[in-house]
Amino acid sequence: MEASDTPEEATMTLSLTDELLLLVLDPASGRPAIDSTRLRAVVGGATVAGLVLDGALALDGTDKRARLRQTGTAVPTEPRLREVLDLAEGRRPKDVVSKLGGAGAWRDRAGALRDLSFQRMTVAGVLRHDETRVLGLFPRSRWTVLDPSLVPALRHRVAAALADGAPVPDARTAALVALLSSVDHLAAVTGLPKREAKRRADAVTAGDWAAPAVRAAVEQVNAAVMAGVIAATAATAAATS
């Protein structure tokens, strides 16, 4: 088993997708703690929401008919992210999330975006990547967070946003709260009971944490993630019944 090179001097700014993946990573197994259906949906959602928060995409209204437009600013250099920009142009947030990682997506673009995020963090020395083989045949990746303070700090940030009397969180933290709630992983991150975590997440995301069009975009992304998980779960249940 060989670990990939991780230069200690490398630094990076974590994207919304990076932070989301770190928060769903199970330290025991070194793999995401949520199933592949929820992971695809939430990675697709985090990618779109991140591009909105970074200013590369903007929603041209606040209702459910509003479409995403490229702003021409904050354009990412990574080809896969530029592909998401092109895919999003003129589409509703829910349709973009569906095409990235929904049950009906014919290409697993969300899987490629997940791999991109893990690769970036590995090259930057945030993660170490090890590959093992199941039954000596099937490769399985394991990611280890190298800075022991990183994930606790992320967890604290999310939990602090949910605390009683907490100030309005920044837009990125509010988006993380919404995305984690959409795949039912917020309780695992914060230690709150599931129902209480959901109640507090709803209160946070209903607040005035960003401009109306940005909030609308994240809300629609969040709804699309939940709808995608429900649809995929129903399809799986029907196929096995």
Side-chain angles (χ1 to χ4, degrees), residues 67-149:
R67 308 283 171 146
L68 290 164
R69 304 292 182 194
Q70 296 185 47
T71 64
T73 61
V75 178
T77 58
E78 217 294 323
R80 289 193 186 102
L81 293 178
R82 292 203 301 272
E83 180 183 341
V84 175
L85 282 184
D86 292 339
L87 183 69
E89 179 66 29
R91 286 191 168 98
R92 295 174 296 178
K94 75 180 190 69
D95 296 328
V96 183
V97 174
S98 178
K99 285 185 173 294
L100 289 175
W106 66 272
R107 283 179 58 192
D108 185 14
R109 292 184 175 94
L113 293 166
R114 173 205 61 211
D115 293 345
L116 170 65
S117 184
F118 277 137
Q119 181 184 33
R120 289 177 63 247
M121 288 192 284
T122 300
V123 169
V126 175
L127 297 176
R128 186 183 73 239
H129 175 230
D130 299 303
E131 190 171 280
T132 60
R133 290 192 175 271
V134 179
L135 301 176
L137 297 173
F138 308 105
R140 172 174 289 181
S141 290
R142 175 188 177 92
W143 291 274
T144 302
V145 181
L146 296 179
D147 180 354
S149 68

Side-chain angles (χ1 to χ4, degrees), residues 22-218:
L22 289 171
L23 286 168
V24 302
L25 195 64
D26 175 18
S29 67
R31 297 178 60 78
I34 60 177
D35 61 71
S36 59
T37 295
R38 289 188 293 165
L39 186 62
R40 285 195 301 271
V42 79
V43 166
T47 302
V48 176
L51 289 169
V52 171
L53 294 178
D54 290 343
L57 286 174
L59 198 64
D60 64 7
T62 57
D63 62 30
K64 293 183 179 180
R65 295 172 297 176
R67 308 283 171 146
L68 290 164
R69 304 292 182 194
Q70 296 185 47
T71 64
T73 61
V75 178
T77 58
E78 217 294 323
R80 289 193 186 102
L81 293 178
R82 292 203 301 272
E83 180 183 341
V84 175
L85 282 184
D86 292 339
L87 183 69
E89 179 66 29
R91 286 191 168 98
R92 295 174 296 178
K94 75 180 190 69
D95 296 328
V96 183
V97 174
S98 178
K99 285 185 173 294
L100 289 175
W106 66 272
R107 283 179 58 192
D108 185 14
R109 292 184 175 94
L113 293 166
R114 173 205 61 211
D115 293 345
L116 170 65
S117 184
F118 277 137
Q119 181 184 33
R120 289 177 63 247
M121 288 192 284
T122 300
V123 169
V126 175
L127 297 176
R128 186 183 73 239
H129 175 230
D130 299 303
E131 190 171 280
T132 60
R133 290 192 175 271
V134 179
L135 301 176
L137 297 173
F138 308 105
R140 172 174 289 181
S141 290
R142 175 188 177 92
W143 291 274
T144 302
V145 181
L146 296 179
D147 180 354
S149 68
L150 179 56
V151 174
L154 287 173
R155 288 174 175 266
H156 176 75
R157 201 175 100 213
V158 171
L162 300 180
D164 289 331
V168 175
D170 62 274
R172 183 181 290 267
T173 303
L176 273 177
V177 167
L179 290 163
L180 290 166
S181 180
S182 71
V183 289
D184 197 24
H185 196 68
L186 189 58
V189 168
T190 62
L192 291 168
K194 285 189 176 183
R195 186 171 295 180
E196 182 65 10
K198 176 68 165 60
R199 183 189 70 78
R200 295 191 185 199
D202 290 344
V204 166
T205 54
D208 192 21
W209 49 268
V214 173
R215 292 203 315 272
V218 174

